[in-house]
Amino acid sequence: MALEGFLLSALVLTPAAAASLLLLLPKDAEKAHRWIGLVASLLTLGLAGMVWSRFDPSNVAFQLVETRPWLPTLGIAYRLGIDGISLLLVLLTALLQPLVLISSWSSIHQRVKGYVFAMLLLETGMLGAFLATDLFLFYVFWELMLLPMYFIIGVWGGERRIYAAVKFVLFTLAGSLLMLVGILYLSYLHKAQTGAWSFAYEDIRSLTIPMGEGFWHSPQLLLFAAFALAFAIKVPVWPLHTWLPDAHVEAPTGGSVILAGVLLKLGTYGLLRYNRPLFPEAWERATPLFLWLAVIAIIYGALVSWAQKDMKKLIAYSSVSHMGFIILGLFAGTVASTQGALIQMVNHGLSTGALFMLVGVVYDRRHTRLIEDYGGLAAVMPLYTGAFLIATLASIGLPGLNGFVGEFLILTGSFPTHPVAVILASTGIVLGAVYMLTLVQRVFWNPLVHEENRTLADLTWREALAFTPLAVFMVWIGVQPGTFLRLSEAAVRHLVGGGL
Amino acid sequence: MNLGDLSAIQPELVLVALGCLLVLTDAFVPSLRSRFGSMAAIGAGIALVVRWTSPTPGMVWSGALVVDELARFVDSYILVALVLVCVMAEPYLARTNARFGEFYALLVWAAVGAMVMAKADHLLVVFIGLELLSVALYVLNAFHRESSLSLEAGWKYLMVGAFAGGALLFGIALLYGASGTFSLSALAPLVAAHTLTGSPLLFLSLALILTGVGFKLALAPFHAWAPDVYQGSPTPVTTFLSVVPKGAALVVLARLIAFLAPAELSPRWTMLLAAIAVLSMTLGNLVAIAQRDVKRMLAYSGIAHMGYALVGLVAFGFDGLSGVLVYLAAYTLMNVAAFTVVSAFSEAEDEPHLLTDLAGQGWRRPVLSLTLGLAMFSLAGIPPTVGFIGKFLVFRAAVNEGLVWLAVVGVLNSLVSVFYYLRVVYYLYMKPLPKREPKYSEPWPARLVAAACAVGIVVLGALPGWVVSAAESAARTLAR
């Protein structure tokens, strides 16, 4: 019983505690740094598993709630809680982190201590942002993710890393600082309406936020815009996506995996957690806009992916397209489409994370990511080819793998309310198959023209170890989606309110 | 006069005696010179302890001083800054062969001036405190006598200080003419009785006082002296200059606003203060981007930061004032941290402190670099640092007073500032080491101050409850 009182804190703070432990170790004890990072992230994964086992999917309220006073006169407290919407994403984060550390075991050689430190701090930030149920705490964790990612891109990244890192920071901050003003205004509204200060999510949720007249005089629309901008930049929604390809291409493999796997999900999570329930009327108003932006993102992302010569850039743009599907599902707003969006967040984290990891594998061997530098790898690296193929098929939505479940739910869930958008979005699936299969064709089956590719080593056991859990979950979600959909169903139904 | 009132100013007495002791020791026992830094720091530490053990009776000396919780908060802030500056000054003076007792004595007396200024209720006492502070600083700015930059700094600060002092004094005289009193707290009943409403003399006097205080705070458009003085002054003096006078001047402004309620006399006052805040933030941040010398960059960042702090005073009320006080505490830690590290990262004090000097140092000197990085994040207002808490509180006050636009301008300015603060981090961690490796000394006092500030920045950022509640009880003396 006692454990429940601090399980979520233990989950959030274990990586940060391990990070502070790292600071005490000497600089050259690289092996120890890696092991501390790995053990801490595995411990976090274990704790996440315990959270899963104690989670009651039929309960729509926050569970395992923790409340500790922080700044009581301001109504700020350290509040953590988990519900069906955050559980899946917490599990995804906890799963990806150790895999990333394993996969960067042989690719990061410089400043290992700093790398592991940044990764662990990033994990604390991500988990905290998913679990915070106080707007102030949420903001703190949200910003806490920024700096480690800045360092990961800026120190361990590629040639244009500084440009990419600064762009990433400025884009993200531009959105989140306005959200901060929004958060302040919400607490002010709470004081005005109830007479007490509070930043607690559930208190804020019970407010009625006036709609007013026009955009500039409507508190609800302005607040919606402030929050939506922060989240839309993170997703990223077209046309705010321009930081993403740069960040992805320049980031080291581990950074890309976390960025695509979890950080982007924080944007869609934020929209679902904050924008939808807090500003319902503004959400209604904004729905057409976001649906169109989603459709544009789906098609635009796919077309731009098709044209890429660089594998990492191709996958980065495919993220824009896939995240468009999630936005479509969220704004279509039925239970099925929202469930689909939620499971698709996990799917995208798994398959795109895997793809970035696999591109990293050949990059480590050949130091090039250009598609034309490869060809015929199927004969040289059979295991690698198989892994890449699984991730590709998951990504393009082959039935039996996870991507199909998400896309199917999003499209069928959205069709009754928004048929035109769904029809247009469906072309994205076709295009997705086109650009991904073209990639596979050119890298694995085209004739082997570059001699240096003839001697490439297949997956090492460590790389295989990092990929296997991802593949397991791709198949598991694909074959038995109920296990996962069940976790979020009650919460989504409660949030969306009846319907399909 | 009641001799018992002396107990209320025990910390000041300790400091005055400490200054005399340092000067006399320098004259008669010069062999102790290497110990002056620790003597001054310990003395200032004792004054801090005395501040918290001596009573806070409120108004003393027939209304000359108000020793209340606000005064105690500001005193603590000044004394903490003084202790840190004394510790970091020791290696600097050793390097420049200037370990003289006067240096510390003047520093200590300047702090007394700031403390008097911050707790004065009588406007002439404000002026006396300001002069004590300024005169000591004129000498300190020019302390590095061989450097023309230092002399220039002293000269500039003297000219500007004289002008600011004159404006302030003239303003005080006109205020006396308008109201018939020098006492700030006696103004409140006059305002309540509408005796002063619409008095042109009063507005002229307020404008002049604001000018005087604005110079001390380096608010735009009274900021032009700051970059040169910051750059030229010995770095410990720059550190002191960048935090102590600003804190004292902000508190004077807060007391003036609390008792005179200029917003009630004329709403234009709020707009004027808001305009100065916006101008300071914008100008400071934009010009800081163009700087290559870290000390100059920090000067412009200081201008911007006083703009943020002024946002709290524009909003005023309980939230605004407590926000400003927390902001001051945060600002002290991050500025002391930044200047300490910058001083340690320069090969010679009379050379410019260029950004390029920091290249690649991050992995070489972990303690100092991490501190500088944290100070930059804190100045940029990124959680979980104390700088974020300060900004959060002043912007919150603005939003609560219906000044959402001011908060928006503030956060957009923060965004601009992130660009140049991160550039420092970029040089530290993402640039390769230069071919010719600079010879930097890393004396233990610098490391000590840096580590203390770094811990303070993070701990107060994560657990701000203690400093926030201290600021709240201090703010309660002026505003509800």
Side-chain angles (χ1 to χ4, degrees):
Chain A
M1 211 40 224
L3 186 67
E4 254 104 69
F6 58 89
L7 187 56
L8 292 186
S9 282
L11 180 63
V12 172
L13 297 179
T14 299
S20 8
L21 179 68
L22 276 183
L23 283 184
L24 302 176
L25 291 181
K27 197 159 48 178
D28 36 9
E30 291 188 358
K31 216 163 188 175
H33 301 148
R34 291 185 201 277
W35 276 105
I36 287 178
L38 183 60
V39 169
S41 58
L42 285 173
L43 203 62
T44 312
L45 179 60
L47 288 167
M50 283 171 74
V51 171
W52 185 6
S53 71
R54 270 149 223 259
F55 182 79
D56 169 15
S58 61
N59 185 351
V60 295
F62 284 113
Q63 303 178 33
L64 299 170
V65 173
E66 283 180 45
T67 308
R68 282 171 232 286
W70 198 5
L71 285 172
T73 47
L74 275 60
I76 293 170
Y78 173 82
R79 298 183 178 93
L80 294 181
I82 191 161
D83 68 354
I85 293 169
S86 45
L87 178 66
L88 282 175
L89 294 165
V90 166
L91 292 174
L92 173 71
T93 310
L95 175 72
L96 280 180
Q97 191 74 29
L99 303 183
V100 162
L101 287 171
I102 292 173
S103 78
S104 45
W105 207 276
S106 48
S107 60
I108 299 287
H109 295 293
Q110 281 182 322
R111 296 167 181 150
V112 175
K113 180 174 167 182
Y115 182 79
V116 178
F117 180 82
M119 276 291 177
L120 289 173
L121 213 56
L122 186 61
E123 187 176 16
T124 287
M126 295 184 298
L127 290 172
F130 284 130
L131 293 173
T133 56
D134 180 285
L135 269 67
F136 180 83
L137 184 65
F138 169 73
Y139 185 80
V140 169
F141 280 126
W142 177 269
E143 295 288 38
L144 187 63
M145 297 181 300
L146 190 65
L147 294 178
M149 203 65 210
Y150 170 68
F151 276 97
I152 289 172
I153 300 175
V155 177
W156 294 275
E159 256 167 51
R160 288 167 68 241
R161 58 183 190 275
I162 304 302
Y163 171 78
V166 171
K167 195 169 176 184
F168 166 76
V169 167
L170 291 183
F171 264 71
T172 315
L173 266 180
S176 62
L177 283 168
L178 288 174
M179 178 170 77
L180 177 64
V181 179
I183 291 175
L184 288 169
Y185 192 79
L186 283 172
S187 97
Y188 161 74
L189 268 183
H190 189 267
K191 167 77 172 173
Q193 290 187 5
T194 68
W197 292 112
S198 180
F199 282 83
Y201 174 75
E202 283 173 325
D203 290 346
I204 300 291
R205 201 176 155 171
S206 63
L207 295 176
T208 42
I209 300 162
M211 261 310 262
E213 287 290 314
F215 179 74
W216 292 106
H217 296 282
S218 160
Q220 195 176 132
L221 284 177
L222 287 171
L223 285 167
F224 178 91
F227 276 74
L229 182 65
F231 298 139
I233 289 174
K234 203 82 170 181
V235 171
V237 172
W238 185 90
L240 303 168
H241 66 280
T242 57
W243 63 269
L244 181 85
D246 288 313
H248 266 313
V249 171
E250 300 306 325
T253 302
S256 291
V257 173
I258 291 292
L259 191 62
V262 186
L263 252 56
L264 306 189
K265 309 306 172 304
L266 273 150
T268 42
Y269 168 80
L271 286 170
L272 186 60
R273 166 73 79 209
Y274 294 96
N275 282 60
R276 165 119 207 191
L278 298 185
F279 321 115
E281 286 132 30
W283 178 277
E284 288 287 314
R285 283 270 195 104
T287 295
L289 172 69
F290 274 85
L291 286 176
W292 284 116
L293 291 180
V295 168
I296 294 174
I298 291 169
I299 297 172
Y300 167 89
L303 289 176
V304 177
S305 283
W306 197 359
Q308 295 309 313
K309 295 186 168 71
D310 179 313
M311 289 200 264
K312 231 176 164 184
K313 226 172 187 167
L314 186 149
I315 299 168
Y317 275 107
S318 84
S319 285
V320 175
S321 177
H322 286 152
M323 294 309 283
F325 276 106
I326 298 174
I327 295 287
L328 173 67
L330 289 181
F331 277 86
T334 62
V335 174
S337 73
T338 313
Q339 277 278 58
L342 207 52
I343 200 79
Q344 189 66 4
M345 291 187 211
V346 178
N347 294 340
H348 179 257
L350 294 171
S351 54
T352 307
L355 285 172
F356 274 125
M357 218 182 253
L358 291 169
V359 170
V361 167
V362 281
Y363 180 76
D364 286 344
R365 292 168 177 47
R366 284 273 276 114
H367 297 282
T368 169
R369 287 184 302 252
L370 291 182
I371 299 170
E372 62 189 27
D373 287 340
Y374 295 98
L377 293 193
V380 188
M381 305 170 76
L383 216 54
Y384 178 74
T385 310
F388 204 98
L389 208 56
I390 295 176
T392 302
L393 294 176
S395 169
I396 61 180
L398 184 83
L401 289 170
N402 59 350
F404 174 73
V405 178
E407 283 178 355
F408 186 77
L409 276 173
I410 291 173
L411 294 177
T412 49
S414 313
F415 191 76
T417 46
H418 303 94
V420 181
V422 170
I423 292 166
L424 291 172
S426 307
T427 58
I429 296 189
V430 181
L431 288 170
V434 170
Y435 64 77
M436 282 311 289
L437 293 178
T438 315
L439 172 73
V440 169
Q441 158 81 30
R442 293 178 61 191
V443 171
F444 295 99
W445 277 283
N446 272 6
L448 208 164
V449 282
H450 299 282
E451 279 308 311
E452 50 273 59
N453 289 340
R454 213 172 281 284
T455 52
L456 285 181
D458 207 349
L459 286 185
T460 64
W461 65 270
R462 212 182 267 126
E463 287 157 350
L465 181 68
F467 175 76
T468 312
L470 295 176
V472 167
F473 276 94
M474 285 176 206
V475 177
W476 188 354
I477 298 178
V479 176
Q480 188 130 53
T483 318
F484 301 91
L485 289 171
R486 196 177 59 87
L487 296 175
S488 56
E489 189 178 342
V492 167
R493 209 170 273 284
H494 177 69
L495 187 77
V496 174
L500 229 58
Chain B
M1 186 170 71
N2 182 359
L3 216 58
D5 287 348
L6 276 179
S7 67
I9 56 159
Q10 281 168 9
E12 283 88 343
L13 295 178
V14 169
L15 289 183
V16 170
L18 174 68
C20 298
L21 179 72
L22 285 165
V23 174
L24 290 176
T25 319
D26 189 32
F28 294 108
V29 205
S31 58
L32 278 179
R33 274 181 184 162
S34 61
R35 301 260 174 278
F36 282 169
S38 18
M39 278 166 70
I42 292 170
I46 291 173
L48 182 61
V49 174
V50 170
R51 174 78 281 163
W52 283 84
T53 49
S54 60
T56 48
M59 195 85 84
V60 291
W61 306 91
S62 337
L65 297 177
V66 199
V67 186
D68 52 11
E69 292 196 36
L70 175 60
R72 186 164 67 181
F73 188 93
V74 183
D75 280 356
S76 318
Y77 145 82
I78 292 172
L79 288 169
V80 168
L82 181 64
V83 171
L84 293 173
V85 169
C86 285
V87 177
M88 72 170 273
E90 166 45 37
Y92 175 87
L93 294 181
R95 260 163 74 176
T96 51
N97 278 327
R99 273 175 166 157
F100 298 118
E102 308 84 286
F103 184 90
Y104 293 105
L106 285 167
L107 215 50
V108 165
W109 288 334
V112 174
M115 286 160 74
V116 167
M117 195 175 153
K119 56 169 81 70
D121 186 59
H122 195 285
L123 281 166
L124 285 179
V125 180
V126 171
F127 182 73
I128 292 170
L130 178 74
E131 285 302 290
L132 177 53
L133 171 66
S134 305
V135 171
L137 281 176
Y138 301 147
V139 184
L140 285 172
N141 286 325
F143 204 80
H144 199 33
R145 270 176 304 182
E146 283 79 33
S147 155
S148 59
L149 279 177
S150 179
L151 291 176
E152 181 196 334
W155 177 244
K156 272 203 174 131
Y157 198 59
L158 171 67
M159 294 306 290
V160 171
F163 184 76
L168 183 71
L169 198 56
F170 198 25
I172 292 173
L174 291 181
L175 186 63
Y176 182 73
S179 65
T181 177
F182 278 124
S183 159
L184 282 169
S185 54
L187 286 169
L190 296 178
V191 172
H194 298 287
T195 344
L196 298 174
T197 315
S199 155
L201 213 51
L202 181 80
F203 285 114
L204 191 55
S205 77
L206 279 181
L208 285 165
I209 292 177
L210 189 62
T211 307
V213 174
F215 270 115
K216 285 290 144 189
L217 289 174
L219 287 166
F222 312 113
H223 65 280
W225 58 272
D228 292 338
V229 173
Y230 271 52
Q231 186 190 13
S233 298
T235 310
V237 177
T238 309
T239 316
F240 187 84
L241 182 76
S242 72
V243 289
V244 171
K246 291 184 176 179
L250 270 178
V251 173
V252 170
L253 198 57
R255 285 191 198 273
L256 192 70
I257 293 176
F259 292 120
L260 205 54
E264 281 175 34
L265 293 175
S266 156
R268 267 184 245 159
W269 265 94
T270 311
M271 289 318 289
L272 178 65
L273 281 182
I276 292 180
V278 169
L279 193 62
S280 301
M281 290 190 280
T282 313
L283 183 135
N285 282 325
L286 288 180
V287 182
I289 292 178
Q291 303 306 315
R292 289 287 172 264
D293 183 303
V294 187
K295 277 168 91 178
R296 282 184 87 84
M297 190 199 91
L298 286 170
Y300 283 106
S301 115
I303 295 167
H305 277 276
M306 284 306 112
Y308 297 127
L310 200 60
V311 169
L313 284 188
V314 174
F316 207 67
F318 174 67
D319 292 334
L321 192 53
S322 55
V324 171
L325 292 175
V326 174
Y327 202 96
L328 282 177
Y331 183 67
T332 308
L333 281 178
M334 44 210 198
N335 248 24
V336 173
F339 279 116
T340 305
V341 178
V342 168
S343 174
F345 275 168
S346 66
E347 281 186 273
E349 281 297 335
D350 44 359
E351 282 176 15
H353 299 63
L354 293 180
L355 259 175
T356 44
D357 293 347
L358 304 175
Q361 294 300 320
W363 309 99
R364 277 299 164 92
R365 292 176 175 72
V367 177
L368 289 184
S369 307
L370 196 64
T371 304
L372 186 57
L374 275 174
M376 290 301 130
F377 296 144
S378 187
L379 285 166
I382 296 172
T385 58
V386 70
F388 165 67
I389 304 290
K391 269 191 188 156
F392 175 80
L393 291 175
V394 295
F395 294 152
R396 172 177 174 266
V399 169
N400 291 346
E401 291 298 315
L403 296 162
V404 177
W405 68 272
L406 195 54
V408 171
V409 173
V411 297
L412 292 181
N413 260 292
S414 294
L415 182 64
V416 174
S417 74
V418 166
F419 183 75
Y420 63 86
Y421 290 131
L422 279 190
R423 193 164 55 195
V424 173
V425 178
Y426 155 62
Y427 270 94
L428 277 177
Y429 289 98
M430 299 167 198
K431 275 264 183 185
L433 274 170
K435 283 208 185 74
R436 184 192 69 88
E437 245 195 85
K439 290 187 190 57
Y440 293 146
S441 58
E442 200 177 318
W444 67 265
R447 248 197 249 186
L448 179 71
V449 172
C453 290
V455 170
I457 287 172
V458 174
V459 169
L460 287 182
L463 304 167
W466 171 77
V467 68
V468 170
S469 64
E472 281 176 343
S473 58
R476 213 162 274 134
T477 59
L478 282 189
R480 291 269 140 215

